[in-house]
Amino acid sequence: NAGVTQTPKFRILKIGQSMTLQCTQDMNHNYMYWYRQDPGMGLKLIYYSVGAGITDKGEVPNGYNVSRSTTEDFPLRLELAAPSQTSVYFCASSRYPGQMSANEKLFFGSGTQLSVL
Amino acid sequence: GIQVEQSPPDLILQEGANSTLRCNFSDSVNNLQWFHQNPWGQLINLFYIPSGTKQNGRLSATTVATERYSLLYISSSQTTDSGVYFCAVVNSNYQLIWGAGTKLIIKP
């Protein structure tokens, strides 16, 4: 059982380039999330999805796009990379939404460290 | 929106010491969680604790929802406890709002 898998682990982009961060989960979770973590800060929600075909903006969606064509996959797209998007990105999934119980955890991928130069 | 503040921002302790980390939140919540991020960046759930007290080995947590704070206790610290500890609460849109974390360094 792989859990949440993110690729790539590291990436360096030039300003204006585009890329897609991949995220896959094999737990049949409906809820998936993309967060960014800036140095010395907590995580901020970029986008989330409550099921295939349904996505919504989080706290910091500008400069990003997502899609959810299947339950398993939730890719994050950066169209025109900017230095402000230098961050560590985490994908996560859960069976239920934010009101998780003690037995329903939020599962995280291992993160993608992105630098935009 | 809900604000989450953690203190202290940094904490350096010798192995074997005890510590208390605090999380204050600005509005009533019915979901609060503590996470540990290890030095390699991996995020692990520690506690789901909207109220009351829970213990897991050397770690315990207490949330006083009416006073809008939660405490994480670490006893007999080990070097493997190093990392960043986050608390996060759920807002009315079911989104997790995270504090900035407490960076804990345990020296051998």
Side-chain angles (χ1 to χ4, degrees):
Chain A
N1 193 342
V4 179
T5 303
Q6 276 183 249
T7 57
K9 292 189 182 301
F10 304 95
R11 185 71 184 269
I12 298 174
L13 288 180
K14 294 182 179 179
I15 294 172
Q17 286 186 319
S18 301
M19 77 162 294
T20 299
L21 280 67
Q22 302 291 345
C23 177
T24 299
Q25 54 90 10
D26 62 359
M27 296 171 282
N28 200 32
H29 286 168
N30 284 326
Y31 296 87
M32 295 188 74
Y33 314 84
W34 273 106
Y35 292 94
R36 60 177 286 171
Q37 184 180 25
D38 297 328
M41 302 293 288
L43 277 65
K44 291 190 181 296
L45 183 64
I46 305 171
Y47 270 95
Y48 65 101
S49 170
V50 302
I54 306 171
T55 63
D56 207 348
K57 297 177 181 179
E59 299 174 80
V60 290
N62 292 344
Y64 307 94
N65 279 300
V66 294
S67 59
R68 185 93 181 271
S69 57
T70 66
T71 299
E72 295 78 18
D73 300 310
F74 189 41
L76 177 72
R77 178 83 177 163
L78 283 71
E79 290 294 348
L80 293 171
S84 61
Q85 293 177 305
T86 295
S87 190
V88 179
Y89 292 82
F90 288 96
C91 179
S93 74
S94 63
R95 189 182 305 277
Y96 299 115
Q99 291 187 338
M100 286 159 273
S101 70
N103 296 321
E104 293 291 342
K105 296 181 177 180
L106 189 64
F107 291 83
F108 288 94
S110 57
T112 296
Q113 188 164 339
L114 175 67
S115 296
V116 181
L117 305 175
Chain B
I2 295 177
Q3 304 297 315
V4 180
E5 295 182 354
Q6 292 186 244
S7 60
D10 300 280
L11 189 58
I12 301 174
L13 298 171
Q14 288 297 131
E15 199 168 23
N18 301 329
S19 59
T20 300
L21 283 58
R22 187 176 180 102
C23 172
N24 293 332
F25 41 96
S26 62
D27 205 348
S28 60
V29 297
N30 53 15
N31 181 317
L32 185 143
Q33 300 179 59
W34 284 95
F35 294 87
H36 177 223
Q37 186 172 37
N38 67 22
W40 296 271
Q42 186 180 13
L43 281 157
I44 303 294
N45 298 266
L46 294 177
F47 291 103
Y48 166 86
I49 185 162
S51 63
T53 297
K54 290 187 178 179
Q55 182 156 4
N56 185 1
R58 294 181 297 102
L59 274 62
S60 64
T62 295
T63 296
V64 183
T66 53
E67 298 187 22
R68 301 180 185 172
Y69 74 88
S70 183
L71 301 174
L72 178 69
Y73 305 97
I74 305 174
S75 63
S76 304
S77 300
Q78 300 176 359
T79 56
T80 52
D81 295 330
S82 295
V84 183
Y85 290 81
F86 292 101
C87 74
V89 302
V90 174
N91 68 8
S92 57
N93 292 325
Y94 301 102
Q95 297 172 4
L96 270 175
I97 305 300
W98 296 66
T102 292
K103 184 175 183 179
L104 178 64
I105 297 174
I106 304 298
K107 293 187 172 182

